[in-house]
Amino acid sequence: MDNSLPPADELVLVDRELAQLDTRRSQLLARRAWLIQVLYPPVAAAAPLRPRPPVADSTPRSAQNVLLTLGGTLLTIAAVAFTLVSWGSMGIGARATVLAVVTGAALAAPVALLRKGLVSTAEAVAALGLVLMVLDAYALHRVALSETDGLGYTAVASAVLAAAWTAYGSALSRLRIPLPVAVAAAQLSLPLGVLAAGGGSTAFAWAALLTATADAAVVLWTRPVAVRITAGTAATALGGWALLTGGWLSLVSPWSGAPLLLAGAAVTLYGAWRVPAFAAAASAVAGLAALTAVGGLLRSALPADWAVPGYVLCALALASVWRLGGGAAAGDGVPGPGGNASAAAGGAASHGAGSDPAVPAGAGVRPPRGIRLGLAGAGAGVAALGLVWALPPVAAGLLGPVARTTDVWSGEHAARALTSFPATAVLVLAVALAALATLPRLWARCGALALAWALLTALPVSFELPYAATLALQLVTTAAALWIAVRPGPLTRGLRAVTAPAGHPGAPGTDTPDPHAAPREAGSTTPEAPAAASAPAAAGPAAPPVPGPGTPWAAWAPSRPRAQAPAVEPATALGWTAYVGGLASAVSAVALALDVRGATFAALGVVLALLAGVAVLGTDARRVVSACGAVLAATGLVFAVAAAGDFEDHWTALALLLVPAATAGLGSRAPRPVALAVEITGGAVGVLALGIAASRPAFLALALALSGVIAAATAVRPERRRFASWTAAVLFLLATWVRLAVWDVTTPEAYTLPVTVPALAVGFLRRRRDPEASSWTAYGPGLAVTLLPSLLAAWTDPEWARPLALGVAALVVTLLGARFRLQALLVLGGAVLALDGLHELAPYVVQAVGALPRWLPPALAGLLLLAVGATYEQRLRDARRLRERLARMR
């Protein structure tokens, strides 16, 4: 062990660390003992001896409630049956007496029950009394007021019952049922009264809105939770119906629906101001209602093509509410110096504007954050729908040229799509672009850039520009977008990237502007309150103090590291946004230019120059993609030249080889990622050229040879040497084979020797560099490529020249293998020599065997087997010795 301290000092350090470990162990043991005491309290010693009582399936109160509910339900069923079935068998006096006595008893009984403390029983009996009052009202209508209108009577009866139940519930405040039931009954009075008076859907919607307004007042100014929940539910249902009706009226009768929608928006907005918990959702509904009302009025006054722009303008105006004021507003929930978040929230809940001294003067007039968020969200949502409506001309301008319906260079132009679409779509795009351009946020700046591209793409479709103007505008759009992709600096003013923990106010996504941009809104983020400060108070019994140096539990508890959010550079985001649009416009411009020959050359030349410029001046992956795109543009130019010159296919193929030749030359000077991508693209173009030349084998051989020359030139570079050299060898070999096939050469050696000679040369060079390399690796493939096909040809060749030449070659190979102790040469050469000799001796063997007696071959075979058996052991020893000798060869 290498110690950097003297032994004495190190001993002191070790003792100190051991003491700290003992202290920490004591702390942990004390904490563990306390946790065990809390989780498993001590049990008396005699407790295990006592039998544990069975666990009850229900509590006494739940059983009581079930019994009371069941009894009240049965009594209610009996009362309904009495009213509906037995009513007709009694006289008027008996009926009145029964109803009065039963109802009065049911309503009076809870008073005595509450005095005795039987609250649940009083609730059940009071519920029965309320049902009996409804039955009384029904019976009264059937007997005494049967000629009155049913809807009108129901409206009046529901109002009377609501008033009576409200008085009853207020007098007996310990009962929880009467007041919510009174609120529910009050919902029917005004809507049914309007229907009884002959009002239509508009009057009914107004009645529903007025009732919902009253419900909202009940929610805001009453205390019982059950009453507030009932009123809130009713207000949501009736108010939603009123707003939906107003939305329908804004389409068919805007001047009737606008007042209803604006009134509903005002009520909803007031409720959002008073209840901060629902401020965002309620204010969003209010904003949508106001937009529907104002937009409907504008639609009725403007031409049909201007309807959507009118809605979008109103929506953007509403979205601008977010930028009202500059300081913290009441209700944002962010305390100033000396204040706290709860005080600010409480002020917002009570008045909607606070008196915190930290709030700047004049900030109280600004709506709270939740309301601004809801209104701005409603405006942004409607504006987004308007943008979706304006996108079809953009899609037509971009994809229309790609969906070609005419021949290339025919001079005819395809019919334009969406010519009847309103031209005001470009106005929507322009207005949204202007709105986003004013926001110092990265997402807004990227959106504005995308909208600018969409506007330029949609202009030819919306205004039906001529062909030349359309093509020129697309090329200008391409140039501008690619220039911004390379130099986005001017668009990044006021933006900066921030790297911060995820969820922190400075993390990406908050788009913190620089000091020269608009001031950041106070209250947009709230500092986290430490959870550990309030945890002990709510956890139950207080924990005993931890022994030790006084370190609190929360201080040495393990903490989780906060993830770091990656920074997004504004230049990168804006550059990629512009680059994608530029590439899309480039493809569309080239497709459009195919209508006319001159336009094709012009568009391809411009696109080639632009992409080459981005490949030289750009950064990151944009350089690689642009370089590949430039290669494709150059390929298109070659095709255009060949088509203009009426080249035949094989001449076009040879011309296309200029592209991989150029990429090979450029690859030697370009950076490695760009060079590799460019060469791969050029290689793909070369494969295309070979495919085109395949129809003419002679030109295919020439194309293969030229491709081999390009690959061989590339192999000079160290980083491409191995792959390019093998590629060149394969291309040269294929060129040779194709040329031999064109010359009708059927001799296999003509195809195999061009492979064998280079392969043996490569093997020889490898053996010189690495003497330990196996002869099978160095010489085996090259020899097998020639010897084996020649052997197959020799067995089927009736002449003597091929077998003789093969035998001589195999003998030479065998002797070389024996001389230089090379296993591959000896085995391959010997095997081929033996098989070639067997082929030559076979006719004579067959002739000799045919001249011998028939019994002689079996006899000779038997003698051979006897001789082999007699010397079996010696033969095995000789075979083993031969195998060992071969194994010692390379």
Side-chain angles (χ1 to χ4, degrees), residues 147-442:
E147 300 299 329
T148 60
D149 179 61
L151 288 177
Y153 179 81
T154 305
V156 174
S158 60
V160 173
L161 289 176
W165 290 342
T166 301
Y168 184 74
S170 300
L172 302 178
S173 58
R174 297 178 63 183
L175 296 178
R176 294 172 295 178
I177 293 179
L179 291 179
V181 174
V183 172
Q187 309 304 313
L188 303 176
S189 301
L190 194 56
L192 293 182
V194 168
L195 291 180
S201 59
T202 304
F204 182 83
W206 274 107
L209 180 60
L210 293 176
T211 306
T213 304
D215 292 332
V218 172
V219 172
L220 295 176
W221 288 301
T222 57
R223 298 182 60 85
V225 177
V227 174
R228 298 174 65 185
I229 292 176
T230 305
T233 304
T236 303
L238 293 176
W241 176 265
L243 293 179
L244 289 176
T245 304
W248 174 75
L249 289 175
S250 70
L251 297 177
V252 297
S253 180
W255 292 98
S256 298
L260 178 63
L261 288 171
L262 292 176
V267 173
T268 307
L269 193 61
Y270 180 77
W273 197 294
R274 293 299 305 273
V275 185
F278 301 99
S283 58
V285 173
L288 291 175
L291 286 176
T292 305
V294 178
L297 294 177
L298 289 177
R299 192 187 73 255
S300 65
L302 296 175
D305 292 350
W306 291 85
V308 175
Y311 280 105
V312 172
L313 289 174
C314 296
L316 293 177
L318 183 63
S320 64
V321 172
W322 177 259
R323 300 177 59 85
L324 288 179
D332 286 354
V334 179
N340 53 54
S342 61
S350 59
H351 301 290
S355 58
D356 194 338
V359 179
V365 299
R366 190 179 69 161
R369 173 182 170 81
I371 291 180
R372 290 185 290 114
L373 180 62
L375 294 177
V382 174
L385 292 177
L387 287 178
V388 172
W389 172 84
L391 288 181
V394 180
L398 181 66
L399 302 178
V402 178
R404 173 164 298 280
T405 58
T406 58
D407 295 334
V408 176
W409 291 359
S410 63
E412 300 177 357
H413 309 302
R416 292 184 179 272
L418 298 177
T419 55
S420 60
F421 201 87
T424 52
V426 296
L427 177 61
V428 173
L429 295 174
V431 171
L433 166 62
L436 288 180
T438 61
L439 299 179
R441 297 289 187 271
L442 178 57

Side-chain angles (χ1 to χ4, degrees), residues 114-129:
L114 289 176
R115 292 176 181 174
K116 296 181 179 181
L118 302 177
V119 179
S120 299
T121 305
E123 291 278 3
V125 177
L128 175 61

Side-chain angles (χ1 to χ4, degrees), residues 794-795 803 833-850:
W795 272 78
L833 181 61
L835 293 175
D836 185 66
L838 179 61
H839 172 266
E840 293 302 314
L841 293 176
Y844 301 102
V845 172
V846 172
Q847 184 179 1
V849 170

Side-chain angles (χ1 to χ4, degrees), residues 392-815:
V394 180
L398 181 66
L399 302 178
V402 178
R404 173 164 298 280
T405 58
T406 58
D407 295 334
V408 176
W409 291 359
S410 63
E412 300 177 357
H413 309 302
R416 292 184 179 272
L418 298 177
T419 55
S420 60
F421 201 87
T424 52
V426 296
L427 177 61
V428 173
L429 295 174
V431 171
L433 166 62
L436 288 180
T438 61
L439 299 179
R441 297 289 187 271
L442 178 57
W443 63 267
R445 202 68 57 84
C446 292
L449 186 58
L451 287 178
W453 170 84
L455 177 62
L456 294 176
T457 305
L459 281 177
V461 177
S462 297
F463 295 130
E464 300 184 12
L465 298 180
Y467 176 80
T470 300
L471 181 59
L473 184 58
Q474 286 191 344
L475 291 177
V476 169
T477 303
T478 303
L482 294 181
W483 174 255
I484 293 174
V486 176
R487 294 291 183 266
L491 297 181
T492 61
R493 294 176 182 174
L495 303 176
R496 61 188 178 93
V498 178
T499 303
H504 191 269
T510 62
D511 297 330
T512 305
D514 66 357
H516 300 287
R520 187 173 184 81
E521 294 170 334
S524 59
T525 55
T526 303
E528 295 182 1
S534 59
V546 179
T551 304
W553 172 261
W556 53 274
S559 60
R560 298 180 181 177
R562 304 188 69 177
Q564 294 289 330
V568 179
E569 291 292 337
T572 302
L574 291 170
W576 273 107
T577 302
Y579 186 69
V580 172
L583 287 183
S585 295
V587 174
S588 180
V590 171
L592 181 63
L594 294 178
D595 290 350
V596 181
R597 176 182 298 183
T600 301
F601 283 98
L604 286 173
V606 171
V607 170
L608 174 60
L610 292 174
L611 293 178
V614 176
V616 174
L617 302 176
T619 57
D620 55 51
R622 282 168 283 182
R623 299 188 65 185
V624 179
V625 177
S626 298
C628 297
V631 173
L632 296 178
T635 305
L637 277 176
V638 173
F639 271 115
V641 171
D646 292 332
F647 290 1
E648 297 184 10
D649 290 346
H650 51 278
W651 292 112
T652 302
L654 294 180
L656 281 177
L657 291 179
L658 295 174
V659 176
T663 57
L666 293 174
S668 61
R669 298 176 178 84
R672 180 173 179 80
V674 177
L676 180 61
V678 165
E679 290 175 353
I680 290 176
T681 308
V685 176
V687 173
L688 175 63
L690 296 178
I692 296 175
S695 60
R696 297 288 294 272
F699 282 89
L700 177 60
L702 178 59
L704 288 169
L706 294 176
S707 301
V709 172
I710 296 172
T714 306
V716 177
R717 295 157 52 190
E719 73 277 8
R720 301 284 191 269
R721 185 167 296 159
R722 180 181 297 274
F723 179 79
S725 60
W726 282 105
T727 303
V730 171
L731 290 173
F732 282 131
L733 178 62
L734 292 176
T736 304
W737 285 357
V738 172
R739 175 51 62 183
L740 292 174
V742 171
W743 289 340
D744 294 331
V745 175
T746 58
T747 304
E749 289 79 10
Y751 295 91
T752 58
L753 286 177
V755 181
T756 297
V757 174
L760 293 178
V762 172
F764 176 74
L765 295 176
R766 179 173 181 180
R767 289 271 299 175
R768 290 188 62 181
R769 292 196 308 268
D770 183 13
E772 298 297 326
S774 172
S775 62
W776 287 102
T777 304
Y779 303 116
L783 292 174
V785 166
T786 294
L787 292 178
L788 297 182
S790 298
L791 178 62
L792 294 176
W795 272 78
T796 59
D797 192 353
E799 302 296 332
W800 58 271
R802 185 189 300 275
L804 178 60
L806 179 61
V808 172
L811 178 60
V812 172
V813 171
T814 304
L815 293 177

